[in-house]
Amino acid sequence: MTDKLRVTVWNEFRHEKEHEEVKKLYPDGIHETIAKALREHGFEVGTAALDEPEHGLTEDVLAATDVLIWWGHMAHGEVKDEIVDRVYKHILEDGMGLIVLHSGHFSKIFRKLMGTSCNLKWREIGELERLWVVSPGHPITAGVGEYIEIEHAEMYGEHFDIPEPDKLIFISWFEGGEVFRSGCCYERGRGKIFYFRPGHETYPIFYQAEVMQVIANAVRWAAPSHGPEVTFGHRPEPLHPVG
Ligand code: ZN
């Protein structure tokens, strides 16, 4: 047994196989780049991918996962609903944390958790992004400056059709003029969810130390709190005599 937090990095792992440019940047897949950085942050990290049986997200894998990280883009529709339901249950009932990255805004699991379209504006011309910290006391911002700059980013712009975040951590400004809520915290059931915007597949964003620092902080924040088991339904016996 280990007392390290256990992270599973899920990647659809398609761009890296199909697009030369992406393969060059992330030769072992985006998930392996993220996993390597998180191991350096002291976590026990496994990976899972869409084309593995049960998308690599078996009951055993999820039961041994404190925080699941999700990266998907071109194959959201191929993720089986039964696996989405399984992940959802682990979040709400067991308190597994979830970190959704970048284009994961359109993943089935994020849309199911949010209950909205999660749609947004986008443009891909490699412009500058500046993520401003708007909650400097929040643990997800530990060790980060007042802002993070990403030299070349895909733009995501408001309106981002999400429910009001329980806590907003970052707002992005883009060179072209748009803004975006790029770090959003939610609680659903016993679980915690963090949406973090950076991470387009053709830019080396997951090699950037500040980005990985935020993800590492988010792992610690989203980890299960091991609070009380909850019960629902008919409760015929009062705690104290009544009347
Ligand atoms: Zn993208």
Side-chain angles (χ1 to χ4, degrees), residues 89-153:
K89 187 168 175 289
H90 276 267
I91 296 167
L92 266 70
E93 295 181 17
D94 303 329
M96 182 180 75
L98 178 72
I99 299 172
V100 175
L101 299 171
H102 188 62
S103 42
H105 71 91
F106 262 159
S107 62
K108 286 184 179 178
I109 184 61
F110 189 61
R111 285 188 293 134
K112 184 178 174 78
L113 287 160
M114 296 298 104
T116 55
S117 75
C118 300
N119 213 338
L120 46 76
K121 294 181 181 66
W122 64 277
R123 169 175 64 235
E124 196 184 338
I125 56 166
E127 64 205 271
L128 173 70
E129 174 181 12
R130 197 172 286 133
L131 293 99
W132 285 92
V133 171
V134 294
S135 297
H138 196 278
I140 287 180
T141 68
V144 172
E146 274 199 295
Y147 58 82
I148 296 170
E149 276 189 353
I150 295 175
E151 207 179 325
H152 299 291

Side-chain angles (χ1 to χ4, degrees), residues 176-243:
E178 288 83 358
V179 295
F180 191 76
R181 288 168 290 169
S182 51
C184 305
C185 293
Y186 296 93
E187 288 185 22
R188 292 289 184 271
R190 307 181 79 202
K192 295 193 275 301
I193 298 140
F194 182 57
Y195 173 78
F196 191 44
R197 198 209 82 83
H200 189 64
E201 65 276 4
T202 57
Y203 302 121
I205 288 168
F206 294 123
Y207 292 102
Q208 193 170 334
E210 298 145 295
V211 169
M212 292 312 306
Q213 177 70 55
V214 170
I215 295 173
N217 292 343
V219 166
R220 290 189 194 93
W221 170 80
S225 54
H226 304 295
E229 294 293 332
V230 294
T231 56
F232 297 104
H234 185 211
R235 185 178 175 85
E237 299 296 334
L239 283 179
H240 304 283
V242 174

Side-chain angles (χ1 to χ4, degrees), residues 41-118:
H41 276 274
F43 303 114
E44 186 182 308
V45 187
T47 61
L50 179 64
D51 292 331
E52 294 172 20
E54 301 181 52
H55 307 326
L57 299 174
T58 61
E59 272 296 344
D60 287 349
V61 166
L62 292 177
T65 297
D66 294 312
V67 179
L68 178 65
I69 295 181
W70 197 277
W71 200 98
H73 180 221
M74 60 191 283
H76 294 313
E78 292 180 46
V79 178
K80 291 194 194 96
D81 290 337
E82 66 186 85
I83 306 296
V84 175
D85 290 346
R86 183 186 292 167
V87 170
Y88 184 81
K89 187 168 175 289
H90 276 267
I91 296 167
L92 266 70
E93 295 181 17
D94 303 329
M96 182 180 75
L98 178 72
I99 299 172
V100 175
L101 299 171
H102 188 62
S103 42
H105 71 91
F106 262 159
S107 62
K108 286 184 179 178
I109 184 61
F110 189 61
R111 285 188 293 134
K112 184 178 174 78
L113 287 160
M114 296 298 104
T116 55
S117 75
C118 300

